[in-house]
Amino acid sequence: MRSVPPLAFTYPGGPLVRRHGPSGYSDVQSFRPWLRDEFSFRCVYCLVREQWGKRLGEFELDHFEPVANSPEASLDYDNLVYSCHACNLRKGQRQVPDPTRYCLESAVRVHLDGRLSGSTDEARRMIAVMGLNSANLVRWRLTWMRIIDLC
């Protein structure tokens, strides 16, 4: 068994620097191809990837700043993140630390037992609010770590 989690469970090394900046769309779904690429086809919160048993329809475009709080930001590309359906539901209208700034390799550690721990207040809050150590997510991480190990 490996001594460190596979790279598939590593959060980004630094804050997200947006590579794209599309604008002028009249509906949020038009941003989907850009955001899929921006977030490497994985959920910004839990790191689940599209190809890991998830269908495209199970991924959503999450307004980091909820539309209810900032309706003017509903079509702001920089207010959108790529999220799996489960994480988007868990977040709902809650304010959480910005995952593009606080879900980072230096702040969130993935342990070999599938749990996450945070080294900053923001990372710990994100893990707690988003339920990133739920039994299902821990089991899911362990399963994929074992599959990757076998390969």
Side-chain angles (χ1 to χ4, degrees), residues 5-133:
L7 288 177
F9 292 102
T10 302
Y11 282 88
L16 176 70
V17 176
R18 300 280 180 144
R19 296 184 311 260
H20 310 299
S23 62
Y25 291 121
S26 60
D27 70 288
V28 86
Q29 290 304 318
S30 298
F31 292 107
R32 182 176 292 278
W34 301 102
L35 289 163
R36 289 176 72 218
D37 180 61
E38 197 84 67
F39 290 93
S40 303
F41 303 89
R42 66 183 185 173
C43 176
V44 68
Y45 301 107
C46 72
L47 300 182
V48 68
R49 293 180 185 269
E50 284 182 8
Q51 65 269 30
W52 290 354
K54 297 283 187 178
R55 296 181 311 275
L56 180 61
E58 292 185 30
F59 281 80
E60 299 176 358
L61 308 183
D62 176 34
H63 290 89
F64 172 70
E65 179 69 36
V67 174
N69 299 348
S70 298
E72 73 282 356
S74 66
L75 290 174
D76 180 357
Y77 182 74
D78 290 333
N79 186 42
L80 296 169
V81 297
Y82 201 56
S83 171
C84 70
H85 177 73
C87 283
N88 195 24
L89 276 179
R90 276 192 294 274
K91 179 182 167 278
Q93 299 297 320
R94 293 185 219 167
Q95 290 293 137
V96 297
D98 184 347
T100 66
R101 293 183 56 215
Y102 297 110
C103 281
L104 304 176
E105 183 179 22
S106 61
V108 180
R109 181 169 178 222
V110 181
H111 298 274
L112 291 175
D113 65 1
R115 289 179 312 101
L116 302 181
S117 64
S119 63
T120 65
D121 290 341
E122 293 86 358
R124 285 188 290 274
R125 183 167 175 260
M126 177 74 69
I127 292 166
V129 170
M130 294 300 296
L132 298 178
N133 277 328

